[in-house]
Amino acid sequence: MSGDPRYLVIGAGNGGKAMAAHLALMGFQASLYNRTPDHTAAIKARGGIDLESYEGGPRGFGKLSLVTSDIVEALQGADIVMVVTPSTAHADIARISAPYLRDGQIIILHPGRTCGAIEFQKALCDVNCAARVTIAEAETFIYASRSDGPAQARIFRIKDAVPLAALPATCTHEVLKAIQSAYPQYIDGINVLHTGLNNMGAIFHPALTILNAGRIESTHGDYQFYIEGVTPAVARVLEVLDRERVTVAASLGIRARTAMEWLEMAYGSTGADLYEAIQNQSGYYGIRAPATLNHRYIFEDVPMSLVPIAALAQHYGVSLRGIDSIIRLACIIHRTDYWRRGRTLEKLGIEHLSVSELTHYVSEGNRDW
Amino acid sequence: MSGDPRYLVIGAGNGGKAMAAHLALMGFQASLYNRTPDHTAAIKARGGIDLESYEGGPRGFGKLSLVTSDIVEALQGADIVMVVTPSTAHADIARISAPYLRDGQIIILHPGRTCGAIEFQKALCDVNCAARVTIAEAETFIYASRSDGPAQARIFRIKDAVPLAALPATCTHEVLKAIQSAYPQYIDGINVLHTGLNNMGAIFHPALTILNAGRIESTHGDYQFYIEGVTPAVARVLEVLDRERVTVAASLGIRARTAMEWLEMAYGSTGADLYEAIQNQSGYYGIRAPATLNHRYIFEDVPMSLVPIAALAQHYGVSLRGIDSIIRLACIIHRTDYWRRGRTLEKLGIEHLSVSELTHYVSEGNRDW
């Protein structure tokens, strides 16, 4: 398959394994990097990953060209780097990759959560990375997947259309073109503020966890996260948080999708209000709650999604009383300062930008750090 | 029983019925007022209330001297007015009572929640009540009680020691002396800022309800409110809210009891942290959660307890991030503005007072409205 891009998948969680196996089964040269070698020992021994999926979906043995925990070796033979880790790892991945990146490489965050590409680019600049790479982020992860064993993956669903944006957006077309042969599903996400502010997990995950905190901890998550966890009152809170997110977006000149619009677009689910629309989403049936509050729904979604949304709001003069409350309770529950750990504008290096400067930066780039 | 005070109980909920019946059984002249006559029709027909209680406790038929929904008639023959209603009714009771109050009458709020006596006095002043009455508030309700039927009440427990304070505190002794023959359990609560800031329901009720919101609404409260609803993470939130309450008190020069100290004092329950101390309180076993979020744990405790605590904090420069978050989520869940409905310093008429002026007012009175 000469001429085809060579992929590196970073992160061997269930998402990374599904993607690596699927790429290999599609005929692409695919390698897999994971920081901790233990997690990929079985894959390395077997030389690849066994993939299962839905009827008519991809399946078989996905032979990988390389399985490594050496970032130098990993980046060497890669044209496109697919980062499939929790977003809390994005900045670290940028720092360890920076010395070994080459001109022309493309790095895609799956997904970026909110401001992932901006944080990644800032981290590269902070260590004076000279390589001219293109950074992009997907609005959401393309697969619904699970891991059935150390060298196994299972895909439940591949999404039809996933917005993706490069930083700056003038490079989005180049990225879409590069991955088109593997992933025609990605579509133009306008810019990384759009992909970052259309982050529905930011609205759903932390609030649903916190408004069911006692239940998660006392039952170890023995209930349906959406179907039983979203009641009319809980949905009212989600609606307010969602309105706040859309308002922050509006303050940046962005028309973000509401959660209702997203449920209809992604799942064809509608209703008189958010409660009904969620209850009508049949895909939510059977999804269990997390077994513990020590879960990425808080420790990832609060610092990497809600904090940057709240930081943008604060800077551009929008009051987010609901989102602030959720962040505060998350800080208390986890006894940590998610503002300090999270993507603040200072950490993203955008604390001095006006709205038009920020828009220019994500659209066309060319800013001095 | 000539010379004994004549009691009027306002409010025929289970607490008011228990108190009226008990007073009558102790030999005092006791009457009962309820705004809605329907609620007291059975008591009026029967002429009193059948009281049951724990072994060795008061029981029998408590014959009432008057059962009425006419406030004029109710106040006429009363020396001591026991207000046993939700605190959301305190201001209304003051307004309808004002024209008919007489010099020397004592009014006691059971309990005041936070700033109940101050609100009551302000409401009397606002309608130019000329009667020289004494207003006091109890820190908590003396009975644990339930209602078994329209003209029945059951007492589970009578507390040993309940702090009570008059407004101003120079009158506390007079009030304690007046009710001593019926209730030797009341002790000097120092002043109404002490009783109001030692309000544990403010800390426990709204937060436990909101951090289990999905569970309450989807199971209709089918779990143990404290034992299953207070998990380690939920208890961490309670600890922060409690610390905030104690800090507000400190800013007013008041050493409030912590929830841990209160659990030990009231129930002899101890533990390494608040989670343990709550789990070790055997009295919490078997207490079910509310069947709905439309419950006084929010609609009373937020505006009448958390809002005045937060308002004092704001005015005197204490930042309450946890309590603010709970108030905000309560506003969203109930789609109302509990700040507008609640006991703000403006409503209490104390918005221009310095700490020393406020202390003087609650201690010695003599302020101009």
Side-chain angles (χ1 to χ4, degrees):
Chain A
M1 304 227 21
S2 146
D4 268 335
R6 297 163 300 168
Y7 283 92
L8 165 66
V9 174
I10 291 190
N14 64 64
K17 288 196 286 185
M19 181 175 269
H22 187 202
L23 281 165
L25 282 163
M26 287 192 281
F28 294 94
Q29 182 183 313
S31 56
L32 181 65
Y33 165 88
N34 199 77
R35 189 179 44 179
T36 315
D38 282 1
H39 292 176
T40 44
I43 301 170
K44 192 166 182 150
R46 185 142 167 61
I49 293 165
D50 286 302
L51 183 69
E52 283 295 333
S53 76
Y54 54 91
E55 205 181 301
R59 66 188 65 232
F61 180 68
K63 188 179 181 307
L64 300 179
S65 61
L66 176 72
V67 179
T68 182
S69 55
D70 177 346
I71 194 71
V72 187
E73 182 183 40
L75 289 169
Q76 227 151 34
D79 302 310
I80 299 175
V81 180
M82 308 294 251
V83 180
V84 193
T85 65
S87 51
T88 43
H90 287 168
D92 277 344
I93 290 166
R95 279 186 283 268
I96 61 164
S97 304
Y100 315 108
L101 291 170
R102 290 190 322 272
D103 286 1
Q105 282 180 317
I106 291 171
I107 299 157
I108 307 175
L109 308 178
H110 293 278
R113 303 293 169 196
T114 300
C115 298
I118 296 175
E119 185 188 39
F120 202 98
Q121 185 161 94
K122 174 68 160 58
L124 292 185
C125 289
D126 283 348
V127 294
N128 302 308
C129 175
R132 297 168 65 89
V133 296
T134 301
I135 301 159
E137 65 178 38
E139 189 178 296
T140 178
F141 191 46
I142 191 168
Y143 300 103
S145 59
R146 180 173 87 187
S147 179
D148 292 330
Q152 292 171 291
R154 178 182 296 271
I155 293 173
F156 293 107
R157 181 166 170 249
I158 303 176
K159 295 193 179 101
D160 293 331
V162 177
L164 176 149
L167 179 64
T170 43
C171 300
T172 300
H173 182 67
E174 161 208 335
V175 174
L176 291 175
K177 205 174 142 194
I179 60 173
Q180 164 108 40
S181 54
Y183 293 111
Q185 297 91 344
Y186 287 100
I187 59 173
D188 187 345
I190 306 181
N191 66 44
V192 296
L193 292 177
H194 281 259
T195 50
L197 286 164
N198 278 317
N199 176 354
M200 296 300 156
I203 300 309
F204 285 14
H205 295 162
L208 285 188
T209 304
I210 286 170
L211 294 171
N212 286 284
R215 188 183 208 177
I216 287 173
E217 225 171 12
S218 77
T219 70
H220 306 290
D222 185 22
Y223 70 96
Q224 299 199 54
F225 187 62
Y226 292 95
I227 298 307
E228 296 177 295
V230 179
T231 61
V234 170
R236 282 200 290 279
V237 175
L238 298 183
E239 281 176 345
V240 168
L241 304 180
D242 196 54
R243 195 189 311 137
E244 291 181 347
R245 175 185 61 81
V246 170
T247 305
V248 179
S251 78
L252 300 172
I254 291 170
R255 165 71 174 86
R257 271 188 294 282
T258 66
M260 293 276 285
E261 289 169 341
W262 174 77
L263 283 165
E264 180 163 11
M265 189 196 74
Y267 305 110
S269 178
T270 59
D273 53 22
L274 188 52
Y275 172 71
E276 281 191 23
I278 288 172
Q279 296 293 327
N280 289 338
Q281 208 287 77
S282 58
Y284 285 151
Y285 282 82
I287 298 182
R288 311 299 293 174
T292 159
L293 291 173
N294 190 23
H295 192 272
R296 67 180 173 82
Y297 285 173
I298 294 183
F299 66 61
E300 178 177 6
D301 285 297
V302 173
M304 301 296 138
S305 303
L306 285 186
V307 164
I309 290 172
L312 288 167
Q314 221 169 59
H315 192 62
Y316 299 112
V318 176
S319 170
L320 300 193
R321 304 173 70 84
I323 286 178
D324 279 348
S325 300
I326 296 296
I327 295 173
R328 288 173 185 188
L329 290 173
C331 293
I332 296 171
I333 283 175
H334 278 177
R335 281 199 176 120
T336 190
D337 182 352
Y338 279 123
W339 275 97
R340 194 173 47 74
R341 292 172 59 166
R343 287 174 174 162
T344 57
L345 302 200
E346 293 71 26
K347 274 202 202 155
L348 298 170
I350 57 175
E351 76 274 28
H352 299 304
L353 302 188
S354 67
V355 170
S356 60
E357 287 169 329
L358 179 60
T359 305
H360 182 78
Y361 165 51
V362 298
S363 305
E364 304 176 39
N366 302 322
R367 66 174 299 243
D368 299 323
W369 283 100
Chain B
M1 305 231 10
S2 147
D4 268 336
R6 297 163 301 167
Y7 283 92
L8 165 66
V9 174
I10 292 190
N14 63 66
K17 287 196 285 185
M19 182 174 269
H22 188 202
L23 281 164
L25 282 164
M26 288 191 281
F28 294 94
Q29 180 182 315
S31 56
L32 181 65
Y33 166 87
N34 199 78
R35 187 179 45 178
T36 315
D38 281 2
H39 293 176
T40 43
I43 301 171
K44 192 166 181 146
R46 186 142 165 62
I49 294 165
D50 286 301
L51 183 69
E52 282 295 330
S53 75
Y54 54 91
E55 205 181 303
R59 67 188 63 233
F61 180 69
K63 187 176 182 312
L64 301 179
S65 61
L66 176 72
V67 179
T68 182
S69 55
D70 177 346
I71 194 70
V72 187
E73 181 182 40
L75 289 169
Q76 226 151 32
D79 300 310
I80 300 176
V81 180
M82 307 295 249
V83 180
V84 192
T85 65
S87 51
T88 43
H90 287 169
D92 277 344
I93 290 166
R95 279 186 282 267
I96 61 164
S97 304
Y100 314 109
L101 290 171
R102 290 191 321 272
D103 285 0
Q105 282 180 317
I106 291 172
I107 299 156
I108 307 176
L109 309 178
H110 292 278
R113 303 292 170 197
T114 300
C115 298
I118 296 176
E119 187 188 37
F120 202 97
Q121 186 160 93
K122 174 68 161 58
L124 291 185
C125 290
D126 283 348
V127 294
N128 302 309
C129 175
R132 297 168 66 90
V133 297
T134 301
I135 301 159
E137 64 178 37
E139 188 178 298
T140 179
F141 190 47
I142 191 169
Y143 301 103
S145 60
R146 182 174 86 189
S147 178
D148 293 330
Q152 293 171 289
R154 176 182 297 272
I155 293 173
F156 293 107
R157 182 166 170 249
I158 302 176
K159 296 196 178 95
D160 293 331
V162 177
L164 176 149
L167 179 64
T170 43
C171 301
T172 300
H173 182 67
E174 160 208 335
V175 175
L176 290 175
K177 204 173 143 197
I179 60 174
Q180 164 108 40
S181 53
Y183 293 112
Q185 297 92 342
Y186 286 100
I187 59 174
D188 186 346
I190 305 181
N191 66 43
V192 296
L193 292 177
H194 280 259
T195 49
L197 286 164
N198 278 319
N199 176 353
M200 297 300 156
I203 300 309
F204 285 14
H205 295 161
L208 285 188
T209 304
I210 286 170
L211 294 172
N212 286 285
R215 189 184 210 176
I216 287 172
E217 224 171 13
S218 77
T219 69
H220 306 291
D222 184 21
Y223 70 95
Q224 299 199 54
F225 187 62
Y226 292 94
I227 298 306
E228 296 177 295
V230 179
T231 62
V234 170
R236 283 200 289 280
V237 175
L238 298 184
E239 280 175 346
V240 167
L241 304 181
D242 196 54
R243 195 189 311 137
E244 292 181 347
R245 175 185 60 80
V246 171
T247 304
V248 179
S251 78
L252 299 173
I254 291 170
R255 165 72 175 86
R257 270 188 295 282
T258 67
M260 293 275 286
E261 289 169 341
W262 174 76
L263 282 165
E264 181 164 9
M265 188 197 73
Y267 304 110
S269 178
T270 59
D273 54 21
L274 188 53
Y275 172 71
E276 281 191 20
I278 288 171
Q279 296 293 327
N280 289 339
Q281 208 285 79
S282 58
Y284 285 152
Y285 282 81
I287 298 182
R288 313 299 292 174
T292 159
L293 291 173
N294 191 23
H295 192 271
R296 67 179 172 84
Y297 285 174
I298 294 183
F299 66 60
E300 178 178 6
D301 284 297
V302 172
M304 300 295 137
S305 301
L306 286 186
V307 163
I309 290 172
L312 288 167
Q314 222 170 60
H315 193 62
Y316 298 111
V318 176
S319 170
L320 300 191
R321 304 173 71 84
I323 286 177
D324 278 347
S325 300
I326 296 296
I327 294 173
R328 288 173 184 190
L329 291 172
C331 293
I332 295 172
I333 284 174
H334 279 177
R335 280 199 177 120
T336 190
D337 182 351
Y338 279 123
W339 276 97
R340 193 174 47 75
R341 291 172 60 167
R343 287 174 175 163
T344 57
L345 302 200
E346 293 72 27
K347 274 201 201 154
L348 298 170
I350 56 175
E351 76 274 29
H352 298 304
L353 301 188
S354 67
V355 170
S356 60
E357 288 169 330
L358 180 61
T359 305
H360 181 78
Y361 165 50
V362 298
S363 306
E364 303 175 42
N366 302 324
R367 69 174 298 245
D368 299 324
W369 282 99

